[in-house]
Amino acid sequence: MNWDWSAVADFMPRFWDGVLITLQILVLGSLISFTLGLVWAIGFRAPTRFVRWPVNVITEFIRTTPLLVQLFFLYFVLPEWGVQFSALTTGTIAIGLHYSTYTAQVYRAGIEAVPAGQWEAATALSLPAHRTWFAVILPQAVRRITPALGNYVIAMLKDTPLVAAIGVLEMLQQSRLESASTFQYTEPLTVIGIAFILIAYPASLLVRALERRLVR
């Protein structure tokens, strides 16, 4: 096999465009996932079943249906109801929404791991609900679950190529377009594979280091 460095050089403009789009989806999707996941987790512990039941039904439905189906639904069905976003925005929302149901379970586990005495102490001090959550419970829960949340960031990175199905030109789609125009597949796909490794592997090392630090 002959490696064509000129093909790599020609691919670089497309490659960097794809990297920027992929990182944008990853960062914004992670923020949506972590924020909405916390909302779901608090909903699981709502004092009324009229909140708990819908939250459980919605999260289970999202978690047990394929991300690709959700992408198509948001991109092709919502416009029929008058709600329309760009392909990039739709892909970001879909990934964030999908993974929020997984991070919700992580938050839930972390919250349930907080000793019951912490809840009782907050009640004894007559702390309002928002102070109990944000000053007592969540700081302890997040410390336990940060490594698990980091693992879902890596999982989201590996799922970003799915947004190409609705026309988002992320890294893999850029390589496919380059290959289609030059009929050279080895160089673009190899560069993309290396790019995913260079993003994911350091992130996994960071998650492990963070885990070791937090369990001290």
Side-chain angles (χ1 to χ4, degrees):
M1 181 184 69
N2 294 322
W3 183 265
D4 189 349
W5 287 105
S6 64
V8 176
D10 291 340
F11 175 54
M12 283 298 102
R14 283 185 184 271
F15 168 74
W16 289 116
D17 288 343
V19 168
L20 291 176
I21 292 174
T22 297
L23 291 178
Q24 180 178 338
I25 294 170
L26 179 62
V27 172
L28 296 179
S30 297
L31 290 176
I32 294 172
S33 172
F34 294 160
T35 304
L36 190 55
L38 179 58
V39 173
W40 297 136
I42 294 175
F44 291 146
R45 298 184 64 93
T48 171
R49 65 179 180 177
F50 294 108
V51 175
R52 293 195 306 270
W53 185 82
V55 168
N56 275 286
V57 170
I58 292 170
T59 55
E60 281 300 311
F61 176 79
I62 295 173
R63 193 158 59 96
T64 54
T65 53
L67 174 56
L68 190 58
V69 173
Q70 294 164 20
L71 277 167
F72 286 152
F73 183 89
L74 292 176
Y75 192 66
F76 294 111
V77 177
L78 285 188
E80 297 182 5
W81 298 347
V83 180
Q84 187 168 5
F85 302 105
S86 67
L88 178 58
T89 301
T90 301
T92 303
I93 292 173
I95 285 182
L97 178 63
H98 184 80
Y99 275 93
S100 72
T101 61
Y102 292 94
T103 59
Q105 297 300 327
V106 175
Y107 281 120
R108 186 181 199 172
I111 291 167
E112 292 177 352
V114 175
Q118 299 294 311
W119 294 93
E120 295 167 0
T123 301
L125 293 171
S126 299
L127 292 180
H130 71 278
R131 286 288 305 281
T132 299
W133 276 105
F134 292 100
V136 179
I137 304 302
L138 289 180
Q140 298 180 64
V142 170
R143 185 172 182 270
R144 292 178 168 88
I145 65 175
T146 298
L149 293 177
N151 289 333
Y152 279 115
V153 173
I154 298 171
M156 278 186 268
L157 171 66
K158 293 189 289 187
D159 271 349
T160 54
L162 289 177
V163 300
I166 57 173
V168 179
L169 301 179
E170 46 70 57
M171 289 195 297
L172 183 60
Q173 183 69 350
Q174 293 285 10
S175 73
R176 293 176 60 189
L177 291 175
E178 181 71 15
S179 299
S181 63
T182 63
F183 299 101
Q184 292 177 300
Y185 294 89
T186 301
E187 291 82 4
L189 289 173
T190 302
V191 169
I192 292 303
I194 293 172
F196 273 106
I197 293 172
L198 292 178
I199 297 172
Y201 187 64
S204 67
L205 293 179
L206 180 61
V207 169
R208 292 176 192 172
L210 187 59
E211 183 175 8
R212 289 194 296 269
R213 182 178 180 84
L214 291 176
V215 298
R216 290 178 182 175

